[in-house]
């Protein structure tokens, strides 16, 4: 049995949840999200609590049990508070800017890299080197942040590149000169 799946999901008063067989839609003050639950999981809702119960004890049902609970919980957090990821650009001459909704990165290539964010994702740039990605869907926010980071990942010698805000870069020692 999944330990995460056993936990109850608490719902606050400002969130509205509709359950249609295996489709769950969550509506809050930031927006609305929906998720199609697997046929292997039953859902029970009381006043302010949602509980997920697997139909059988098969390997697949146990796998999906915890995953479904986490996704539904993240949907509830997303429509009430939202999610954000912070990226930091390090390197001489490296900078970023936002024009309309497009993120433009100048990170040492001969051309500037442009990234169009998906809908419901907001990208802000502060001080040309700090990028803030925010939205209601945790999965998409993380995906966009990983995509931006992959353009110029931090290198181990000087630490130049794009990294997450609190990410530690393991530094290497360069060549010893004679």
């Amino acid at each position: 049995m999944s330990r995460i799946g056993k936990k109850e999901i608490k719902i606050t008063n400002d969130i509205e949840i509709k359950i249609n067989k295996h489709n769950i839609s969550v509506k809050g003050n930031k927006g609305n999200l929906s998720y199609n639950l697997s046929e292997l999981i039953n859902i029970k809702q009381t006043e302010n609590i949602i509980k997920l119960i697997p139909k059988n004890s098969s390997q697949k049902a146990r796998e999906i049990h915890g995953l479904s609970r986490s996704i539904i919980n993240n949907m509830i957090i997303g429509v009430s508070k939202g999610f954000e990821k912070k990226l930091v650009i390090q390197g001489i001459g490296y900078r970023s800017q936002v024009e309309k909704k497009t993120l433009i990165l100048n990170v040492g290539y001969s051309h500037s890299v442009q990234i169009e964010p998906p809908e419901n994702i907001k990208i802000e740039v502060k001080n040309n080197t700090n990028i803030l990605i925010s939205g209601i869907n945790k999965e998409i926010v993380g995906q966009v942040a990983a995509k931006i980071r992959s353009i110029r990942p931090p290198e181990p010698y000087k630490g130049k590149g794009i990294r997450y805000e609190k990410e530690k870069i393991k530094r290497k020692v360069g060549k010893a000169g004679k």
Side-chain angles (χ1 to χ4, degrees):
M1 247 331 183
S2 170
R3 292 181 188 161
I4 294 171
K6 286 181 181 177
K7 289 183 179 180
E8 298 173 336
I9 303 170
K10 293 180 180 145
I11 307 164
T12 56
N13 293 334
D14 59 332
I15 294 172
E16 191 179 308
I17 293 183
K18 292 179 184 171
I19 300 171
N20 250 357
K21 291 183 182 178
H22 289 285
N23 187 23
I24 299 168
S25 59
V26 181
K27 187 176 182 183
N29 55 1
K30 293 222 179 222
N32 50 342
L33 295 169
S34 64
Y35 176 65
N36 288 324
L37 197 61
S38 171
E39 299 286 330
L40 299 170
I41 306 293
N42 285 330
I43 188 164
K44 287 186 181 177
Q45 180 182 8
T46 56
E47 289 179 26
N48 289 337
I49 294 174
I50 291 179
K51 188 135 176 100
L52 297 175
I53 303 154
K55 286 185 179 177
N56 55 37
S57 61
S58 68
Q59 178 72 30
K60 190 71 174 169
R62 286 182 289 162
E63 290 171 359
I64 303 241
H65 186 214
L67 173 73
S68 300
R69 191 255 179 215
S70 294
I71 289 173
I72 294 169
N73 191 45
N74 286 339
M75 286 169 46
I76 291 170
I77 293 169
V79 296
S80 61
K81 298 176 190 171
F83 293 101
E84 60 182 36
K85 289 266 187 183
K86 295 177 184 175
L87 297 171
V88 177
I89 300 175
Q90 226 175 5
I92 296 171
Y94 289 9
R95 63 182 182 272
S96 61
Q97 64 190 41
V98 175
E99 281 185 15
K100 297 178 185 170
K101 287 187 175 183
T102 307
L103 176 69
I104 300 169
L105 297 170
N106 296 319
V107 285
Y109 295 121
S110 61
H111 60 285
S112 59
V113 180
Q114 298 183 352
I115 296 174
E116 276 293 327
E119 62 180 73
N120 299 331
I121 297 295
K122 185 178 175 189
I123 297 179
E124 297 174 32
V125 174
K126 296 174 184 167
N127 301 336
N128 289 333
T129 57
N130 297 332
I131 303 170
L132 177 73
I133 301 135
S134 58
I136 59 173
N137 192 333
K138 186 175 185 178
E139 182 182 3
I140 296 175
V141 169
Q143 236 174 355
V144 171
K147 182 180 176 185
I148 293 170
R149 184 185 181 278
S150 71
I151 290 169
R152 180 67 86 174
E155 53 98 15
Y157 296 102
K158 293 184 180 178
K160 292 169 42 173
I162 302 171
R163 62 178 172 83
Y164 295 110
E165 186 181 41
K166 294 181 181 176
E167 180 181 10
K168 300 278 188 217
I169 306 300
K170 205 169 188 182
R171 303 293 287 272
K172 291 183 179 178
V173 179
K175 283 199 268 183
K178 284 189 175 183

